Amino acid sequence: MDYRGFFEDAVDALRQEKRYRVFADVERIAGRFPRALFRDQADNAREITIWCSNDYLGMGQHEKVIEAMQRTAGAMGVGAGGTRNISGTNRPLVELERSLADLHRKDAALVFTSGFVSNEAAISTIARLLPECVIFSDQLNHASMIQGVRQSGMPKQIFRHNDLAHLRELLSGVDRKRPKLIVFESVYSMDGDLAPIKEICDLAEEFGALTYIDEVHAVGMYGPRGGGIADRDGLMERIDIIEGTLAKGFGVMGGYIAANRAIIDAVRSYAPEFIFTTALPPALCAAARASIEHLKGSIIEREAHQRQAQRTKDSLTAAGLPVLATTTHIVPLIVGDARLCKAASDMLLEKHNIYIQPINYPTVPKGTERLRITPTPLHDDAMIAHLTDALVSVWTGLELPREQPPIKVTADRLRVGELTLPSVGG
């Protein structure tokens, strides 16, 4: 049996479909974000500017965050020493969960090793604990949410993206006495659009459903204290479970949920992804808490972030580039072809020292391949001008379309985030 051949064929299938992922070897430079060193395959290094980082506010290099991590590692070491149940519940982790609960004005919070794990564990566990629960999931939910829905084993209903009439129709078709869970995101990170949170909460109250919102692309960046879009819009109290990440706006690592004490205790007690995983190290927890507490009291980063994101959109639009209009910090630049999207990314890196990772299927549907640009407060006006000039050069050189292609929600989007395995090896 040629086992190796099966794996080689599987990877070759991705190459043929132009979906093979190449990782950029990037060395961030403390104090100079978004500048970094890029190393090619020959290990030659040169300075580049990153335009696709999820460290949206640059908090991963904030002096308070670095100092908290260094101080805690020096005092407590670098490992947690075990799972949460067996010696791993360190003091900085306890303080971090209290800080998160306060951020979202909930009874309690629970920290996981990543945002993917927190979605997978929380959604599947909550749904399994509710007898005969039906899950209502937005069509464009993230892969981690899809995995949580699938792993729960409970019946699901997929409603068309942000389609309130369709959600109402699906809810009305289920017995009002049957438990229901509506799962959706606040900021959809590929198109940069927002969920109608208030209206979804209205439907949840009308039909007796729990609400679960993924705020990973919004925490730290929106709201008077950085609690996300629900915080900005005064809706946090109407959301039953808020899920977030420590790795984007807060610039560190980890995921979490915040909810009432009963829900948190149930997930803590039943979710295997939580029970059997080593806890986050104390230094990471201290750094994350320092970031959260700083952003609770500072609006400077959020205001600068929104200003530079808007300037980026305005500059690219004025240059005639196909920017997908958004009301958030996400700036999608549509290419519409996997091969050309990769070529554009390569040309930006090789000729202009700009790094923007190509986004292809299955992260986005075929035909909507894109460069997803994420400005930060530390991308100054000169960087925006350089980015605009470089993109115009690339678009001209590759003869890429300037018109904005329509972004249609199709059945293909139901599978976004799922890994489809090719038929290989005969």
Side-chain angles (χ1 to χ4, degrees):
M1 181 67 70
D2 181 16
Y3 288 108
R4 179 173 181 147
F6 280 101
F7 297 113
E8 290 175 342
D9 288 348
V11 173
D12 284 343
L14 293 178
R15 288 195 178 97
Q16 292 169 14
E17 295 176 15
K18 308 300 180 185
R19 294 199 288 128
Y20 182 73
R21 297 174 190 243
V22 178
F23 299 155
D25 184 349
V26 175
E27 181 180 332
R28 305 208 315 166
I29 305 171
R32 296 192 59 207
F33 182 78
R35 304 293 191 189
L37 293 179
F38 167 75
R39 297 186 185 275
D40 61 24
Q41 293 184 345
D43 210 27
N44 299 311
R46 70 177 190 274
E47 188 170 298
I48 63 169
T49 303
I50 301 175
W51 275 96
C52 59
S53 175
N54 279 344
D55 188 358
Y56 292 134
L57 300 177
M59 292 302 295
Q61 298 191 7
H62 194 282
E63 58 184 13
K64 288 183 182 178
V65 179
I66 294 174
E67 191 277 329
M69 178 174 280
Q70 291 174 334
R71 172 172 37 83
T72 307
M76 302 181 66
V78 297
T83 64
R84 292 293 300 271
N85 184 52
I86 306 175
S87 82
T89 300
N90 54 79
R91 185 63 186 176
L93 181 44
V94 172
E95 292 173 339
L96 172 60
E97 289 179 336
R98 289 175 179 171
S99 179
L100 289 165
D102 172 73
L103 174 67
H104 294 294
R105 293 196 287 276
K106 299 296 183 187
D107 293 342
L110 195 65
V111 167
F112 297 80
T113 52
S114 75
F116 192 105
V117 174
S118 56
N119 264 335
E120 180 183 54
I123 293 172
S124 62
T125 301
I126 291 167
R128 282 199 308 268
L129 291 175
L130 294 171
E132 298 185 332
C133 178
V134 178
I135 304 174
F136 299 85
S137 179
D138 188 282
Q139 190 174 8
L140 297 193
N141 277 341
H142 187 270
S144 58
M145 304 179 80
I146 295 171
Q147 183 63 19
V149 171
R150 182 189 297 117
Q151 190 166 302
S152 75
M154 305 308 292
K156 65 178 182 295
Q157 302 273 2
I158 309 296
F159 61 94
R160 291 186 292 272
H161 178 53
N162 282 348
D163 189 329
L164 296 167
H166 190 215
L167 177 57
R168 169 180 286 279
E169 177 187 341
L170 295 176
L171 286 166
S172 63
V174 176
D175 191 317
R176 288 179 177 269
K177 296 180 180 179
R178 190 169 180 178
K180 307 169 189 68
L181 178 66
I182 304 174
V183 297
F184 62 105
E185 302 182 38
S186 60
V187 176
Y188 289 86
S189 64
M190 288 301 118
D191 290 354
D193 58 337
L194 296 173
I197 300 174
K198 177 185 179 299
E199 291 77 8
I200 290 176
C201 289
D202 290 342
L203 287 174
E205 291 178 6
E206 180 180 350
F207 290 95
L210 285 176
T211 49
Y212 181 108
I213 191 170
D214 176 317
E215 288 258 35
V216 297
H217 291 277
V219 290
M221 296 170 290
Y222 297 90
R225 298 200 307 158
I229 298 296
D231 182 23
R232 184 196 71 178
D233 295 347
L235 296 168
M236 284 198 299
E237 287 82 358
R238 299 188 66 188
I239 301 290
D240 295 296
I241 305 104
I242 297 174
E243 187 266 349
T245 183
L246 305 170
K248 294 182 170 64
F250 297 127
V252 189
M253 178 182 177
Y256 66 90
I257 59 169
N260 67 48
R261 200 167 302 280
I263 291 175
I264 295 297
D265 201 18
V267 175
R268 181 190 71 86
S269 301
Y270 281 92
E273 299 90 342
F274 176 83
I275 295 169
F276 299 108
T277 299
T278 299
L280 280 186
L284 280 175
C285 296
R289 181 170 178 264
S291 181
I292 293 164
E293 292 302 316
H294 173 80
L295 290 172
K296 282 180 182 177
S298 173
I299 63 171
I300 295 172
E301 293 81 5
R302 285 189 284 279
E303 289 180 342
H305 183 223
Q306 290 298 312
R307 181 180 66 248
Q308 295 310 97
Q310 189 59 53
R311 286 180 178 175
T312 302
K313 294 176 194 176
D314 292 344
S315 180
L316 300 184
T317 301
L321 294 164
V323 180
L324 185 63
T326 75
T327 58
T328 64
H329 60 283
I330 305 295
V331 185
L333 197 58
I334 304 301
V335 177
D337 178 273
R339 181 183 60 81
L340 291 173
C341 195
K342 176 67 166 58
S345 175
D346 290 345
M347 188 177 291
L348 284 168
L349 187 59
E350 293 166 6
K351 293 187 175 183
H352 303 281
N353 294 319
I354 288 173
Y355 172 43
I356 307 175
Q357 186 71 12
I359 306 294
N360 294 330
Y361 178 85
T363 306
V364 295
K366 293 177 181 178
T368 70
E369 292 84 359
R370 66 198 64 187
L371 300 177
R372 192 188 72 136
I373 299 166
T374 53
T376 74
L378 302 176
H379 286 94
D380 60 29
D381 292 353
M383 291 179 184
I384 294 173
H386 175 55
L387 171 70
T388 304
D389 292 342
L391 285 168
V392 168
S393 174
V394 167
W395 246 250
T396 301
L398 294 176
E399 298 182 344
L400 298 176
R402 298 293 186 106
E403 66 274 7
Q404 175 62 64
I407 302 298
K408 296 180 180 179
V409 177
T410 65
D412 192 34
R413 285 204 167 196
L414 291 171
R415 297 187 293 275
V416 170
E418 298 183 21
L419 179 62
T420 52
L421 298 177
S423 297
V424 295

